[in-house]
Amino acid sequence: MSFHFVKLRKIWYIVSLAVIVPGLISLMLQGLNLGIDFTGGSLVEVRFKEPTSIEQVRQVVTGQELGSAKGIQKSGETDFIIRTKELTEEQSASLISSLRQDAGDLDLLRNDRVGPVISGELVRDALLALVIAAGLILVYTSIRFEFKQGIAAIVAIIHDVLVVLGMFSLLQIEVNSAFVAAMLTIIGYSINDTIIIFDRVRENLRLAQRKEAIEELVNRSLWQTLVRSINTVLTVVFVLVALFLLGGSTIQNFVLAMLIGVISGAYSSIFVASPVWVEMRLRERKGGRQAAKA
């Protein structure tokens, strides 16, 4: 076993910081590109009766002087989702009429308006869902394993959340309600991989000889679960890449968040969660020895 994951843990911490810090700076300077689900606005979905290009639709929307048009997504050959600032009934009717006149006959599938009150409630509920999920994971992990492993698992989850948020802020990719669903899925995936490793650590602790150092034991556990972790993440990544390329623009942001989160989750399970737990165990032993000497 020539490669030692745990002894090189400071390098993994530096790698994580090199990814997370630029994202944090971007979050502080330019924030996230929030969609109408969070800021309020209008969402118009139409289906043209003949194939139409996105450039034609964009020209019509721009010609309506809607100013802050936040995005036009094409879904399939003839379906389009148009996100704009909040429109009045007259503005919506004018937009539909112009699309019919300049881009082709169409059917109106959806014309929703999201007000600032609803978007505020969505932000609050999304944050509450994340906090509840993290709290329940901490309780479950503490009961099944130990409290310190629960803390290490939460650190890995925070790592993954910051990586995804930072990347979306750096690239200014639109964040909508589907992004929240992706974040909750990422949390589930991250903790799943971490639990597998901690489970193996617990088994090895039970069978270990007293002289084996905790770093060696955890490193041995990581090697024993490494093939499974790589196979699992590659299987998921293959599916997500296929969805990103062929799934249409409507789900691209969701799939991209999942893709970044799944890769980050696999990394954090091996290079963050386990080393952080080892760090806490070593500090605990060091503190115990110092207390005994005193």
Side-chain angles (χ1 to χ4, degrees):
M1 221 178 287
S2 57
F3 192 83
H4 206 298
F5 294 101
V6 181
K7 283 186 178 176
L8 297 174
R9 58 186 177 277
K10 289 183 180 175
I11 293 177
W12 315 135
Y13 298 157
I14 292 170
V15 171
S16 294
L17 287 174
V19 174
I20 290 173
V21 169
L24 287 177
I25 293 172
S26 176
L27 281 168
M28 288 186 286
L29 294 180
Q30 59 182 357
L32 292 167
N33 178 15
L34 297 174
I36 65 170
D37 294 341
F38 294 99
T39 60
S42 291
L43 188 152
V44 179
E45 185 172 5
V46 295
R47 175 173 294 161
F48 288 94
K49 295 184 177 175
E50 299 290 338
T52 306
S53 70
I54 194 167
E55 287 74 20
Q56 281 182 285
V57 176
R58 184 171 289 116
Q59 283 178 0
V60 174
V61 174
T62 305
Q64 288 290 299
E65 299 181 349
L66 298 177
S68 57
K70 294 171 182 172
I72 301 170
Q73 290 184 343
K74 186 175 183 180
S75 175
E77 286 293 319
T78 57
D79 290 5
F80 288 85
I81 298 173
I82 303 167
R83 294 180 173 84
T84 71
K85 65 180 182 180
E86 190 169 349
L87 303 178
T88 63
E89 290 185 8
E90 291 76 17
Q91 287 174 316
S92 290
S94 175
L95 174 61
I96 301 301
S97 174
S98 296
L99 286 170
R100 280 202 175 99
Q101 185 177 344
D102 298 331
D105 198 11
L106 58 84
D107 291 323
L108 178 62
L109 302 180
R110 185 165 40 145
N111 188 358
D112 294 336
R113 194 186 303 172
V114 181
V117 175
I118 294 175
S119 59
E121 289 178 357
L122 187 61
V123 172
R124 187 193 61 208
D125 291 346
L127 291 174
L128 187 61
L130 289 172
V131 170
I132 290 174
L136 291 175
I137 288 169
L138 179 61
V139 171
Y140 170 74
T141 314
S142 301
I143 293 172
R144 185 171 174 187
F145 300 100
E146 61 177 71
F147 182 71
K148 287 185 175 61
Q149 285 175 317
I151 295 292
I154 294 297
V155 170
I157 288 171
I158 292 172
H159 171 280
D160 300 337
V161 169
L162 290 178
V163 167
V164 179
L165 283 175
M167 292 298 291
F168 267 64
S169 176
L170 280 170
L171 301 175
Q172 284 296 289
I173 302 170
E174 185 180 296
V175 171
N176 53 26
S177 55
F179 178 82
V180 178
M183 295 298 284
L184 290 171
T185 309
I186 290 164
I187 289 174
Y189 180 84
S190 175
I191 192 65
N192 179 55
D193 215 21
T194 304
I195 288 291
I196 296 296
I197 295 171
F198 282 169
D199 201 39
R200 181 54 60 97
V201 169
R202 183 176 60 177
E203 288 296 317
N204 287 337
L205 270 174
R206 194 176 299 162
L207 302 173
Q209 298 174 0
R210 286 190 175 183
K211 62 180 181 182
E212 186 174 20
I214 191 70
E215 290 167 295
E216 301 297 334
L217 186 143
V218 172
N219 193 60
R220 182 157 56 89
S221 304
L222 287 172
W223 274 104
Q224 289 171 348
T225 55
L226 188 63
V227 173
R228 178 208 173 275
S229 296
I230 292 173
N231 287 340
T232 302
V233 71
L234 283 180
T235 306
V236 178
V237 164
F238 290 154
V239 173
L240 291 173
V241 169
L243 278 174
F244 183 80
L245 295 175
L246 305 172
S249 58
T250 308
I251 63 169
Q252 270 189 345
N253 290 358
F254 171 80
V255 176
L256 182 61
M258 286 289 299
L259 196 54
I260 297 170
V262 165
I263 295 172
S264 176
Y267 174 87
S268 66
S269 298
I270 299 170
F271 299 102
V272 177
S274 301
V276 165
W277 179 68
V278 169
E279 202 84 56
M280 287 190 287
R281 286 290 294 256
L282 291 176
R283 288 176 183 273
E284 182 186 43
R285 288 185 180 181
K286 187 178 178 181
R289 284 197 296 268
Q290 288 176 343
K293 286 180 182 177

